[in-house]
Amino acid sequence: MADEVASLLKRLGLNADSEDTGLVDDLYQEAVATVLDFTHRDQLVGTMAMYAKQLAIIAYNRLDTEGETERVEGNVSRYFVTDIPEQIQKPLRRYRVARLKGML
């Protein structure tokens, strides 16, 4: 887990002794939980850690816009994805574990 956080810090341009190290670690933990919830698994397998890192980077970049779905400044409109982006969902679907419902 420490390797992933170190990799995230590098990709975000932060030092290991940065004030944001704890924040990046929290964001990565949340991203892992999101990936595991989406795939209905208890632990990361295959390349799922890579997609968790991508989600953590998105969350870090969206820190000042949490809760917004759209922002209009002047004549410029920005729309925000509020769920897991499709380019991350698509490859994660192969790791999903099926759940049976109503089979008693």
Side-chain angles (χ1 to χ4, degrees), residues 68-80:
E68 292 185 65
T69 57
E70 177 184 6
R71 177 184 282 185
V72 179
E73 296 175 357
N75 292 332
V76 178
S77 296
R78 293 178 59 192
Y79 297 93
F80 302 103

Side-chain angles (χ1 to χ4, degrees), residues 18-101:
S18 171
E19 294 176 3
D20 288 341
T21 301
L23 174 63
V24 170
D25 186 41
D26 286 345
L27 292 173
Y28 180 70
Q29 297 296 330
E30 290 175 12
V32 167
T34 300
V35 167
L36 293 175
D37 285 346
F38 182 78
T39 58
H40 308 293
R41 291 184 176 267
D42 295 327
Q43 53 185 309
L44 298 176
V45 296
T47 58
M48 289 170 58
M50 177 181 70
Y51 300 112
K53 285 196 301 189
Q54 290 176 2
L55 282 176
I57 290 169
I58 291 169
Y60 184 83
N61 289 331
R62 289 227 31 221
L63 282 175
D64 293 336
T65 61
E66 285 180 325
E68 292 185 65
T69 57
E70 177 184 6
R71 177 184 282 185
V72 179
E73 296 175 357
N75 292 332
V76 178
S77 296
R78 293 178 59 192
Y79 297 93
F80 302 103
V81 175
T82 57
D83 196 14
I84 299 174
E86 184 64 29
Q87 74 258 20
I88 296 174
Q89 277 188 29
K90 190 173 181 179
L92 281 177
R93 286 188 187 118
R94 70 178 151 195
Y95 295 109
R96 288 187 107 173
V97 175
R99 294 208 172 161
L100 298 176
K101 290 186 178 183

